Amino acid sequence: MNKERFVYIDALRGIAIAGVIIVHSASITNVNGLLKQAASLGSMGVQLFFVISAFTIFYSLSKSNGSATQFRDFFIRRLFRIVPVYWLGIVLYTAVYGLGSRGWLDGPELWHYPFHILLINVLHPLTSSSVVPGGWSISCEVLFYMLVPLLYVYLNTSKKLIGFLLIAMVLLPVLNIMLQNYALVHWSGIDRVQLKDFFYRWIPNQLACFTFGILLYKIYEDKRYAGWVSGRVVNLIGVTLIVLALFALQLYYIKIPERIHLYSLVFMCLALLLSVVPWTLFVNGFTVFLGKISYSCYLIHFLVIKQVTVVIGNYFPVLTGHNKGYFLLVLFLSFLITIPLGWLSYTFIELQAVNLGRKLITYLNHTATHEKEMSDLKKSNVKGGKIANP
């Protein structure tokens, strides 16, 4: 993938992680008023990640030219991209907190660890983010990877894609609500809030968000949209309407279609507009850089925010009494510390693991090519021998 051509994708990742850091800083400091409402928009950063992820995955697969190993190579790349940093997160949070709370929820129990190691932690209400805070979204992403080969092969026409999107936006949420209501009545021993979070977070409820990313890829490949929004005035009007829609959707409380799905639609439109005119407000050196290190920042920022509040509470307790000032201080320090730590993790862990995955793919492909050449040579020799000795 041409990195210059898709610089706006990195920028959107940067905006997504910035939003996530903002909302979690607001959550832990209990900020109120307009700041709380504005910060809450950052919670949709996860859905923005999902849209971008599906787009980049389908785009990359489309450039593999139908290779026999395209899905094997896809899984290897994803394995080396996601797992090493996540496992490091398991070690890090366990070393710091043991089985204690990570700052937002109760701490994990030992039986939670296999779920996180296998990245299926979103499949149980008590394990989704217990070991690694925010781990539910990574698990959801991994479960989407499991569906990618089927979706890539099956959703090969616009009609099928739109039909699947409608199923993901209407039918699955209806079933999800029914299951949630049943669980709230019959699933005893689990807190109601955790049950509601579970049904919000798991893959059936988030699938439409990923599907908008697939639709983004289809529209992008069609190219006709570019002519409609290439004019800077038209594009600017579109971007302005999108920004207004992002805030207006905070007032939306209808269950179907869900708000997260409408946000994903808006994010898809924003990506299309920025792909034609990359406005500096959104696509700039800071957002692009932050986007590149966003995965490491996502896993680290929970620890940073929690420890920042601990230090302030222990040594400067007077600052916690100023609600908005406390939030802004925690937010500033969290960015200040998370970004360099994220860069270190990206440089010395993420990139190294990704390169190792590439080497493994190259080795496997080279080995397969060599074996095929040897097999063809043997067949040729056998055929030649039969001709020579009829």
Side-chain angles (χ1 to χ4, degrees):
M1 188 182 295
N2 187 316
K3 292 184 178 180
E4 290 300 322
R5 186 179 176 184
F6 288 93
V7 68
Y8 69 97
I9 291 295
D10 278 330
L12 287 173
R13 286 195 185 100
I15 293 169
I17 186 58
V20 169
I21 294 174
I22 290 170
V23 73
H24 288 144
S25 297
S27 171
I28 205 167
T29 58
N30 295 312
V31 71
N32 52 36
L34 290 177
L35 268 180
K36 179 181 180 179
Q37 291 182 324
S40 66
L41 181 59
S43 64
M44 293 298 108
V46 171
Q47 282 67 42
L48 178 53
F49 276 127
F50 289 164
V51 172
I52 294 169
S53 176
F55 168 77
T56 54
I57 286 170
F58 270 64
Y59 181 86
S60 297
L61 286 173
S62 73
K63 301 308 174 185
S64 61
N65 299 319
S67 167
T69 63
Q70 69 178 142
F71 293 124
R72 183 205 67 187
D73 295 348
F74 160 72
F75 282 118
I76 291 174
R77 285 194 296 268
R78 293 290 92 190
L79 175 70
F80 281 86
R81 173 77 172 83
I82 297 296
V83 172
V85 178
Y86 193 81
W87 282 358
L88 178 64
I90 294 175
V91 173
L92 178 62
Y93 282 98
T94 302
V96 175
Y97 299 110
L99 298 181
S101 172
R102 275 66 171 140
W104 283 264
L105 301 171
D106 292 337
E109 298 179 32
L110 288 176
W111 65 270
H112 295 192
Y113 278 81
F115 283 82
H116 280 263
I117 291 171
L118 297 174
L119 288 157
I120 56 172
N121 40 292
V122 78
L123 296 180
H124 193 286
L126 297 180
T127 64
S128 62
S129 295
S130 59
V131 177
V132 178
W136 73 269
S137 64
I138 309 303
S139 178
C140 202
E141 178 101 4
V142 169
L143 293 179
F144 172 70
Y145 296 162
M146 300 298 105
L147 299 175
V148 163
L150 177 63
L151 296 178
Y152 185 78
V153 171
Y154 178 74
L155 301 180
N156 55 3
T157 66
S158 298
K159 185 176 180 180
K160 288 181 179 179
L161 178 56
I162 297 301
F164 184 78
L165 180 59
L166 291 175
I167 291 173
M169 288 186 69
V170 180
L171 180 59
L172 289 183
V174 168
L175 294 175
N176 196 48
I177 291 171
M178 293 171 62
L179 284 172
Q180 177 179 302
N181 291 336
Y182 179 85
L184 288 172
V185 174
H186 296 91
W187 203 341
S188 60
I190 298 179
D191 182 75
R192 292 175 65 88
V193 174
Q194 287 182 301
L195 274 176
K196 289 182 179 180
D197 285 344
F198 168 71
F199 284 102
Y200 166 80
R201 291 169 171 175
W202 74 328
I203 186 66
N205 198 50
Q206 301 291 334
L207 190 56
C209 305
F210 290 103
T211 308
F212 274 112
I214 301 172
L215 182 59
L216 171 61
Y217 155 72
K218 293 290 187 181
I219 297 174
Y220 177 85
E221 285 294 281
D222 186 72
K223 301 300 183 186
R224 284 179 294 182
Y225 81 95
W228 305 335
V229 294
S230 58
R232 294 181 68 85
V233 174
V234 173
N235 196 289
L236 180 59
I237 292 173
V239 170
T240 302
L241 291 175
I242 283 173
V243 172
L244 293 174
L246 290 175
F247 287 97
L249 280 174
Q250 290 187 299
L251 304 175
Y252 178 90
Y253 291 102
I254 300 174
K255 290 187 176 181
I256 297 176
E258 289 193 48
R259 182 165 56 173
I260 59 173
H261 300 157
L262 296 180
Y263 269 114
S264 297
L265 169 62
V266 173
F267 291 144
M268 181 194 76
C269 295
L270 177 61
L272 288 170
L273 291 171
L274 293 180
S275 72
V276 178
V277 182
W279 298 98
T280 305
L281 177 64
F282 299 94
V283 185
N284 52 66
F286 177 72
T287 57
V288 171
F289 171 73
L290 195 57
K292 290 179 179 178
I293 63 173
S294 58
Y295 178 44
S296 284
C297 286
Y298 180 78
L299 292 177
I300 291 171
H301 86 277
F302 295 95
L303 175 63
V304 172
I305 291 174
K306 173 61 177 175
Q307 294 308 116
V308 164
T309 59
V310 168
V311 171
I312 293 175
N314 288 340
Y315 296 98
F316 309 98
V318 66
L319 297 177
T320 64
H322 303 274
N323 187 260
K324 294 180 176 60
Y326 180 40
F327 159 66
L328 293 174
L329 177 61
V330 169
L331 179 63
F332 172 74
L333 293 175
S334 296
F335 269 106
L336 189 66
I337 299 170
T338 296
I339 291 174
L341 290 179
W343 177 82
L344 288 172
S345 173
Y346 170 76
T347 302
F348 296 104
I349 300 174
E350 276 192 65
L351 287 183
Q352 302 308 313
V354 168
N355 289 334
L356 188 60
R358 288 173 180 165
K359 289 179 181 178
L360 177 58
I361 291 172
T362 300
Y363 170 77
L364 292 174
N365 290 340
H366 175 76
T367 301
T369 301
H370 178 70
E371 290 177 351
K372 185 177 184 303
E373 290 175 349
M374 294 299 295
S375 177
D376 291 344
L377 181 60
K378 287 180 180 179
K379 289 179 181 179
S380 177
N381 290 337
V382 169
K383 184 178 180 181
K386 287 181 178 180
I387 294 173
N389 300 286

